[in-house]
């Protein structure tokens, strides 16, 4: 079956611009996670959803970052007033359940802020 | 606080050698889950295994095996008869009932030389 998909695969933007990154989870997976990964490091947690609600957004670095999942499936990560430090690969994962469920990852969106 | 340590930054072996990747974790939760993921040069994280804290049985899957020892808080991963296709960055991760997000180690870059 189809895995987690993310669009776009690459996004280049200028400092100060607004970007949206999309994640389409595996069908039937109620839990959805966003991470970001900088070169040479492990993923860093941003936010996760159970259904439509953000169960934990403690990893969002500041109020320029926001994520939604209005219908409990597709999620969008929104970044306002991008900064060069936001450049990273943004990863989305989904799982059948929150507690202990294996998370399946999408290919990521590589964001470059010039 | 929860933490995962992968002390080996990079390991290089010749094809067909056995190699063990170390993972040490810290958590105060009694119910927790440990994971290994593979990240090949293509970049997509691939789920390998999940263990829960109540199951200390070692697991073998083909050339891969995992040794979970609660007494030393370790969850080590061994590849037997390594192959060039095993070259990747391998991450160990932890989650629990009090923290559903994955806490990641820094990763071990494994290089298998022909």
């Amino acid at each position: 079956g189809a895995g987690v998909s993310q669009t776009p695969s690459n996004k280049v933007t200028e400092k100060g611009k607004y970007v949206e990154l999309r994640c389409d989870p595996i069908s039937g997976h109620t839990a959805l996670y966003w991470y970001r990964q900088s070169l040479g490091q492990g993923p860093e947690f941003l936010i996760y959803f159970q259904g439509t609600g953000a169960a934990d957004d403690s990893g969002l670095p500041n109020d320029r970052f926001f994520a939604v999942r209005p219908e409990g499936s597709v999620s969008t990560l929104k970044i306002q007033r991008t900064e060069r430090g936001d450049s990273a690969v943004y990863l989305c994962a989904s799982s059948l359940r929150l507690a202990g469920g294996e998370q399946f990852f999408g290919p990521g969106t590589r964001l470059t802020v010039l | 606080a929860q933490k995962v340590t992968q002390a080996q930054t990079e390991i290089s072996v010749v094809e067909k050698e056995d190699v063990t990747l170390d993972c040490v974790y810290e958590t105060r939760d009694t119910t927790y889950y440990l994971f290994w993921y593979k990240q090949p040069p293509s970049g997509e994280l691939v789920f390998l295994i999940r263990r829960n804290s109540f199951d200390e049985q070692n697991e073998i899957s083909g050339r891969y095996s995992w040794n979970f020892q609660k007494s030393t808080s370790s969850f080590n991963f061994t590849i037997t008869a390594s192959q060039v296709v095993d070259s990747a960055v391998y991450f160990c991760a932890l989650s629990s009932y009090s923290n559903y997000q994955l806490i990641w180690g820094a990763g071990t870059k494994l290089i298998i030389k022909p």
Side-chain angles (χ1 to χ4, degrees), chain B:
Chain B
Q2 299 185 317
K3 186 179 177 182
V4 175
T5 302
Q6 295 180 257
Q8 303 150 309
T9 304
E10 183 174 308
I11 299 174
S12 180
V13 299
V14 176
E15 199 173 21
K16 298 183 183 176
E17 287 186 13
D18 299 348
V19 58
T20 295
L21 309 182
D22 298 333
C23 173
V24 174
Y25 63 91
E26 296 176 28
T27 180
R28 293 182 179 176
D29 290 316
T30 54
T31 301
Y32 54 89
Y33 304 87
L34 296 163
F35 303 81
W36 276 94
Y37 283 83
K38 175 181 180 180
Q39 189 170 43
S42 60
E44 191 157 344
L45 282 160
V46 178
F47 166 77
L48 295 178
I49 190 172
R50 178 195 66 183
R51 302 300 279 174
N52 72 56
S53 52
F54 299 109
D55 183 1
E56 284 192 76
Q57 280 192 346
N58 291 332
E59 181 150 342
I60 299 174
S61 176
R63 296 183 297 105
Y64 295 172
S65 62
W66 291 268
N67 183 350
F68 176 26
Q69 291 197 338
K70 288 177 77 170
S71 61
T72 55
S73 297
S74 65
F75 185 43
N76 297 337
F77 173 29
T78 298
I79 302 175
T80 303
S82 60
Q83 299 177 0
V84 172
V85 293
D86 296 327
S87 297
V89 179
Y90 291 84
F91 290 98
C92 181
L94 165 73
S95 72
S96 69
Y97 262 92
S98 69
N99 195 355
Y100 297 147
Q101 60 169 283
L102 286 172
I103 306 298
W104 298 80
T108 297
K109 182 176 183 179
L110 178 62
I111 301 169
I112 310 296
K113 299 177 182 176

Side-chain angles (χ1 to χ4, degrees), chain A residues 87-101:
Chain A
S87 296
V89 176
Y90 288 80
L91 299 167
C92 177
S94 69
S95 67
L96 272 175
R97 56 191 175 95
L98 274 178

Side-chain angles (χ1 to χ4, degrees), chain A residues 22-72:
Chain A
R22 176 188 166 109
C23 171
D24 204 334
I26 293 171
S27 178
H29 281 193
T30 57
L32 184 146
Y33 309 76
W34 283 99
Y35 297 84
R36 71 177 175 181
Q37 186 176 25
S38 299
L39 193 63
Q41 298 181 20
E44 171 193 10
F45 168 74
L46 296 176
I47 184 172
Y48 68 76
F49 293 86
Q50 173 71 346
T52 60
D56 183 349
D57 63 359
S58 63
L60 296 177
N62 51 60
D63 61 6
R64 295 187 297 106
F65 289 74
F66 189 71
V68 296
R69 195 185 184 198
E71 297 178 357

